[in-house]
Structure formats: C-alpha cells, structure tokens
Amino acid sequence: MDVEKVFHMTGGVGKTSYAQNSSLQKKASDMVKHITMETVQELCYEVTPKSLGIADLGCSSGPNSLALIKDIVEAVEGISHRIFQPLPEFRVFLNDLPTNDFNSVFKSLPDFYKDLKKDRNEGGPSIFIAGYPGSFYGRLFPNNCLHFIYSSYSLHWLSKVPPGLYDEHGKPINKGNLYISESSPPSVSQAYWNQFQEDFSLFLKLRAQELVTGGRMVLIILGRLGQDHVDRGNSFFWKILTRSLAISVSQGEIEQEKLDSYDVHFYAPSTSEIEGEVRREGSFQVERLEMFEIEREVKGGESYGTAVAMTVRAIQESMLCTHFGDGLDLDNLFNNYGKIVDEEMGKEEIKPITFVVILKKL
C-alpha cells in the first residue's frame, strides 16, 4: 500500500472527522504550549528576522493548526515589544500529505484573519499562509527559508510499512498482529526500528537544509519508556485494534488472511533512540526533551473508550477502508474497540507516553 497516496485523517467536519475528533491532540499541544512559545521567543530574540518562516508539518484538517499559528503570532508580538524590534511578517506553510483535506483549513482562513485583526491597531500583522502538500520524508522548501518548524503527532508515522515485516516470498511474518506484540518474532521490532532510523535521520537531514542556522524545531511525538516495545501504552492501543479486527473476522466481515497482512506504519521511539539519532545525524542539538501523559477527560458524558475509538477511527479509517474494503463495518469495529478500551481501563490504566523534543540547528 502506498502510504503517501492513501493515508490521511478523515476530512470534513462530520461526526467521524478528524476535525471533530482531535481534542486529545489539542490537549497535548496545549500541555506543552508554554514550551513551544518559549522556543519561538528565544528564536526571535537570537535571530530577529524581518520575515519569519514557519512550517507546520502534518497540519491535518482540523482547527488545531490555525490555533497554533495564532499563538505563535501573539508570542512573537510579545517578544518584539519587549526587545523594541518591529514585528516581522509571517510566512506560514501548512504541510501534509496530498490526500489531506486542505480545503477545510482554507475555508477557516477568513475567520482566522478576521480574528487576528480584532483589537489590533493598523489591521494586525502581515501574515501569508499557504498549503504545501507532500511527504516530509522528502524535500519541501527552498534552502534556509524557515526559522521555525512545528510537528505534532506526525513523526511516529513512518514513510512506509517496514519491508522487513515480510519474508523472501512476500508472506507476513507478524501474523495476527498490527504492530509489535508479545507474540512477534524479534525481527519485527528490528524491522520497525530500522525503518524509524532511516526515516527520522532523513527527516533531520532535509529539515537542516530548509532551516536557517539557529532555527528551531518543536516535535511532539508518541513514544515509549525504556527498551521494551510492548507496554501498556501506545503499543497496547494497537493490540486493542487487533482484537477488534479479530472480532470482525469471527463475524465474517473480513478474512483472517487480510488481517494477517495488515501492518501499521507506526513506531513509538524511546528517548535514547531519539537522542541517539539526533547525535548520529549531526545537524541539530537537543535543547529539551520531556515526557508527558495526557490526562483523561471526556466530553458530553461519553466514555474514555468511545473518545479514544473515535480518535483512532479518524486517523486509521483511510488505511482500513483501502486494505479491507467495503465489507468491514467501521461502526461495529470501533464500537467494539471502545468497549475493549473501557474494559481494560477497568482492570488497569493504559498510559500512552508522549515526548516534546526541542531541536536547534547547528
């Protein structure tokens, strides 16, 4: 499956859209907002650009991206006032895969501009926003045109399903699993790690060409504690999706062979793996790396399991539909998923780990 052509968050603003089911991601970005804004202000203090180049890599189609841009503008206004520097113009590049619903973002722009001008003298800051479709595992921007790169909940997605998950005859070696599990052979975790190394190193190399010296990156990425890939965190949510799909197999909606050949293009790195790759590639230094957990909070009386199920559906729907076809009942699948999450939470907490990583270009 060509990830670049298929993978996208569910577009629009409907009940199952990413726009309606990305509150967990928003909560994470809000939890580290102070770190992001401090990084932006430090950058502006050191570099004092007249034209500030900003890229959001993996912007998706919900309201989160434009909310971030508004926060950045306000942070830059604050530091410019304090150091008696004129406010720079803002060049903002919103990037995601070509299949992303950019139109829903563009439709929000008139209200965004209107909101920015409100309560500001002389019509507000000069800000120019553009959509930039393409994989961030390829070059996206001209040399030295960016000062600040932000990427939230994107870099744990690999450029492709690791080829090492298939034997020399093209048969899957991780049957019955979507990701690394207790029953996976050791070569499975190695295949995922190899793919992450290749992708993350390439990402750093490419961004180093696009950022000015002293430019910053803020990366929010799902991860894991320690060396063990199997935990009651991010990998456990994939185990629950495996169990939910197994129910669909038992109900005759999909074939076991289809389940055996479905693998996710995902990897949850550890802090040592992230730091090691940054050192090895050599273009950046780690200024800050912190771990955090999102507090459980649900809206409108729905269960935590339902909230997680709707989030996972908005992320995985495009891939599931392409692989399994029309026979898979997504409503049934994610109803089962939500129930299993709630059952498991009744036994023991599920604690997905997130990292915020601040990198400075050397």
Side-chain angles (χ1 to χ4, degrees):
M1 191 188 302
D2 189 334
V3 168
E4 190 171 344
K5 290 181 179 176
V6 174
F7 184 54
H8 61 86
M9 307 297 109
T10 302
V13 291
K15 184 182 175 184
T16 61
S17 68
Y18 184 79
Q20 295 293 328
N21 295 285
S22 53
S23 59
L24 293 174
Q25 292 88 333
K26 178 69 166 70
K27 185 158 191 180
S29 66
D30 285 347
M31 286 177 71
V32 296
K33 177 178 166 180
H34 64 289
I35 297 175
T36 304
M37 297 310 131
E38 283 169 18
T39 304
V40 169
Q41 291 189 325
E42 286 170 11
L43 166 69
C44 290
Y45 182 76
E46 291 174 16
V47 181
T48 59
K50 292 181 179 178
S51 180
L52 183 64
I54 301 165
D56 181 355
L57 306 184
C59 66
S60 193
S61 55
N64 295 352
S65 191
L66 293 181
L68 166 80
I69 302 307
K70 186 172 184 284
D71 291 337
I72 290 175
V73 169
E74 290 172 354
V76 175
E77 284 177 326
I79 188 68
S80 298
H81 180 71
R82 285 205 301 276
I83 63 175
F84 304 104
Q85 286 286 337
L87 189 66
E89 66 178 16
F90 295 83
R91 293 172 288 113
V92 179
F93 306 102
L94 303 179
N95 158 261
D96 213 311
L97 293 174
T99 45
N100 183 55
D101 183 9
F102 283 100
N103 280 340
S104 68
V105 181
F106 297 152
K107 286 174 184 174
S108 304
L109 285 178
D111 286 339
F112 170 78
Y113 287 126
K114 185 178 177 182
D115 193 37
L116 263 189
K117 290 177 181 177
K118 196 167 57 180
D119 302 326
R120 284 180 170 87
N121 297 325
E122 300 171 7
S126 297
I127 180 164
F128 309 94
I129 299 178
Y132 245 71
S135 169
F136 51 54
Y137 294 121
R139 269 299 292 271
L140 291 167
F141 309 103
N143 287 340
N144 303 309
C145 75
L146 297 175
H147 298 87
F148 180 74
I149 291 174
Y150 180 85
S151 183
S152 179
Y153 285 96
S154 296
L155 275 166
H156 41 250
W157 297 113
L158 303 172
S159 64
K160 59 185 175 184
V161 172
L165 297 180
Y166 302 89
D167 64 19
E168 64 272 18
H169 305 296
K171 300 289 185 183
I173 63 170
N174 197 29
K175 289 183 178 181
N177 299 304
L178 304 190
Y179 184 56
I180 305 164
S181 79
E182 298 94 334
S183 62
S184 300
S187 55
V188 168
S189 56
Q190 188 62 47
Y192 273 105
W193 164 234
N194 290 347
Q195 191 62 51
F196 177 79
Q197 275 187 302
E198 180 184 315
D199 286 345
F200 191 49
S201 178
L202 177 60
F203 176 87
L204 295 171
K205 177 184 173 185
L206 297 172
R207 301 296 81 81
Q209 296 170 44
E210 298 162 353
L211 274 168
V212 300
T213 299
R216 303 297 207 281
M217 291 203 289
V218 173
L219 312 175
I220 299 173
I221 179 171
L222 291 173
R224 72 182 198 278
L225 294 174
Q227 293 306 303
D228 194 352
H229 290 88
V230 180
D231 58 16
R232 204 169 172 86
N234 292 302
S235 71
F236 197 72
F237 282 127
W238 292 118
K239 184 177 181 178
I240 291 174
L241 186 55
T242 303
R243 286 168 60 184
S244 304
L245 284 164
I247 294 171
S248 298
V249 171
S250 70
Q251 292 173 341
E253 292 180 19
I254 55 176
E255 297 172 3
Q256 182 64 44
E257 188 179 348
K258 276 284 191 182
L259 174 55
D260 289 341
S261 62
Y262 187 64
D263 300 283
V264 293
H265 62 294
F266 171 92
Y267 185 75
S270 65
T271 53
S272 61
E273 288 172 345
I274 294 170
E275 289 172 323
E277 283 309 297
V278 173
R279 273 196 306 272
R280 193 171 68 86
E281 195 280 327
S283 300
F284 295 88
Q285 71 177 32
V286 178
E287 286 201 315
R288 196 165 180 171
L289 199 167
E290 295 186 14
M291 180 207 88
F292 64 99
E293 296 176 25
I294 303 174
E295 297 169 9
R296 283 196 290 131
E297 187 178 285
V298 293
K299 59 186 178 182
E302 69 180 4
S303 72
Y304 177 68
T306 299
V308 173
M310 293 298 284
T311 300
V312 174
R313 177 173 180 168
I315 294 167
Q316 275 287 294
E317 186 165 342
S318 62
M319 301 293 284
L320 290 167
C321 289
T322 300
H323 183 81
F324 292 104
D326 296 335
L328 180 61
D329 183 336
L330 289 171
D331 291 337
N332 184 45
L333 174 70
F334 285 103
N335 184 45
N336 290 327
Y337 185 98
K339 286 179 181 175
I340 296 172
V341 170
D342 286 330
E343 286 169 9
E344 289 293 338
M345 288 293 290
K347 299 174 190 173
E348 185 185 346
E349 281 279 336
I350 304 170
K351 294 186 174 181
I353 298 300
T354 303
F355 298 126
V356 57
V357 188
I358 311 299
L359 302 179
K360 180 179 180 179
K361 184 188 166 184
L362 299 171

